[in-house]
Amino acid sequence: MAFTGKKPWYMEYLFILAGTGLMAMGISSCFDSAGLVTGGFSGIAILVKAGSGALYGWEVPLWLTNMVLNIPMFLLAIKLKGMTFAKKALIGDGSLTLWLAVLPAWELAHDLLLSAVYGGVLMGVGIGLVFLGGGTTGGTDLLSALIQKYLKHYSIAQIMQFVDGTIVLIGAFVFGVERALYAIIAVFLVTKVSDGLIEGLKFSKSVYIITDKPDRIASMIMNDLDRGVTGISAKGMYSGQEKLMLYCVLAKKQLVYLKEKIDEIDPQAFVIVGDVREVHGEGFIER
């Protein structure tokens, strides 16, 4: 399923609310209960909760640390980049803080690997929904954007990697190296799941075909697979021959049939297959 087109205004808020709810569940019920520090302000909140419990016998709630850390970030963002920039982060982080305060903390798994997997999937889906709703959750991405204003030779992604890496490293000292390694698994899953949701789950395949029988293969693709084909003039630099190279995009499930038919029509054909993350247009994701 891929989310496309202009969404009603209330759908954007529903995406943000649902996404931050899933994020809060992943943070409190998976990462916090297992001692997995995955970076971000949520990672700092887990560290503060563990440290305050060990030192003072009273654990600082996750929502409180998250709110306290984000308040100066929002004030700086308003001053340096304007209210429009900070407003989206304010909506996302406000709902995340609220969910962290009201949702009960369930221990979804007793196993560290399962906690990393469950938390990674919940966080990934949650972040994806928040971004699809046009919001952000503040945290280290907002902090990195502000730092980048002064360190312009570094990208926001590079600064964010450094900040989150530092938080994970501190988590390794507090909870141990083993949990830090499981936290890295969770970070990987968060990235993969959120990217897949944002870019669309309808992945496709692109195919380049160099053949001596372009008309027959193009006719097969258009008639049997109901896909469009583009002919590209090409020249073999070794042979010096002019050829018509075919290019098409099709669904993954159609690839096996395509290769079988190409082998029947021209066993000598040269076929190149690549991954396509998202396709807009007739027969794929409609605008």
Side-chain angles (χ1 to χ4, degrees):
M1 179 180 179
F3 299 92
T4 57
K6 177 79 174 167
K7 296 182 288 292
W9 66 269
Y10 59 86
M11 285 299 297
E12 295 184 348
Y13 288 106
L14 286 176
F15 279 172
I16 294 174
L17 285 173
T20 51
L22 290 174
M23 290 175 64
M25 187 180 297
I27 293 168
S28 60
S29 299
C30 296
F31 297 153
D32 179 42
S33 61
L36 301 179
V37 179
T38 58
F41 280 2
S42 61
I44 297 177
I46 292 173
L47 290 171
V48 170
K49 181 180 177 181
S52 60
L55 292 174
Y56 307 110
W58 178 76
E59 295 179 337
V60 177
L62 297 175
W63 67 267
L64 181 60
T65 303
N66 187 72
M67 182 180 67
V68 170
L69 289 174
N70 271 296
I71 287 175
M73 291 298 101
F74 290 129
L75 295 177
L76 280 173
I78 293 171
K79 180 179 180 180
L80 298 176
K81 297 206 169 191
M83 186 61 193
T84 302
F85 176 83
K87 184 169 63 175
K88 291 183 178 180
L90 180 61
I91 294 171
D93 185 68
S95 57
L96 176 61
T97 301
L98 180 63
W99 282 120
L100 286 172
V102 300
L103 278 180
W106 300 289
E107 190 174 0
L108 297 182
H110 300 287
D111 181 78
L112 285 175
L113 179 59
L114 289 178
S115 295
V117 171
Y118 293 161
V121 172
L122 287 171
M123 281 286 289
V125 174
I127 290 172
L129 289 176
V130 170
F131 287 163
L132 286 171
T136 76
T137 57
T140 52
D141 52 344
L142 181 57
L143 174 62
S144 301
L146 296 175
I147 294 175
Q148 200 266 342
K149 186 175 178 67
Y150 300 99
L151 301 177
K152 297 185 182 296
H153 50 291
Y154 294 107
S155 68
I156 293 177
Q158 289 174 324
I159 298 171
M160 193 170 173
Q161 287 174 352
F162 175 78
V163 173
D164 284 342
T166 302
I167 295 171
V168 172
L169 189 61
I170 296 172
F173 283 104
V174 175
F175 294 106
V177 175
E178 182 184 16
R179 280 178 164 76
L181 294 176
Y182 282 110
I184 292 173
I185 295 175
V187 170
F188 175 80
L189 286 172
V190 169
T191 304
K192 287 296 182 182
V193 173
S194 61
D195 284 350
L197 192 62
I198 293 166
E199 294 174 1
L201 299 180
K202 194 174 180 180
F203 299 147
S204 303
K205 294 289 185 179
S206 63
V207 183
Y208 290 92
I209 308 164
I210 302 173
T211 174
D212 292 326
K213 301 176 182 179
D215 293 333
R216 288 185 59 189
I217 292 179
S219 178
M220 177 271 296
I221 294 172
M222 290 185 290
N223 295 324
D224 295 357
L225 298 177
D226 194 26
R227 294 299 183 192
V229 188
T230 299
I232 304 172
S233 297
K235 180 180 179 179
M237 298 308 296
Y238 179 76
S239 64
Q241 293 181 344
E242 298 282 349
K243 290 192 175 183
L244 189 66
M245 179 173 65
L246 303 178
Y247 174 73
C248 67
V249 177
L250 66 163
K252 289 189 295 184
K253 62 184 179 182
Q254 296 176 310
L255 182 62
V256 174
Y257 179 84
L258 173 66
K259 291 191 292 185
E260 289 177 351
K261 297 299 290 184
I262 291 174
D263 287 340
E264 291 178 11
I265 297 171
D266 182 8
Q268 305 302 317
F270 190 74
V271 182
I272 304 170
V273 180
D275 291 324
V276 178
R277 301 292 291 180
E278 187 172 331
V279 184
H280 287 260
E282 185 177 357
F284 292 94
I285 300 174
E286 298 294 343
R287 292 181 180 83

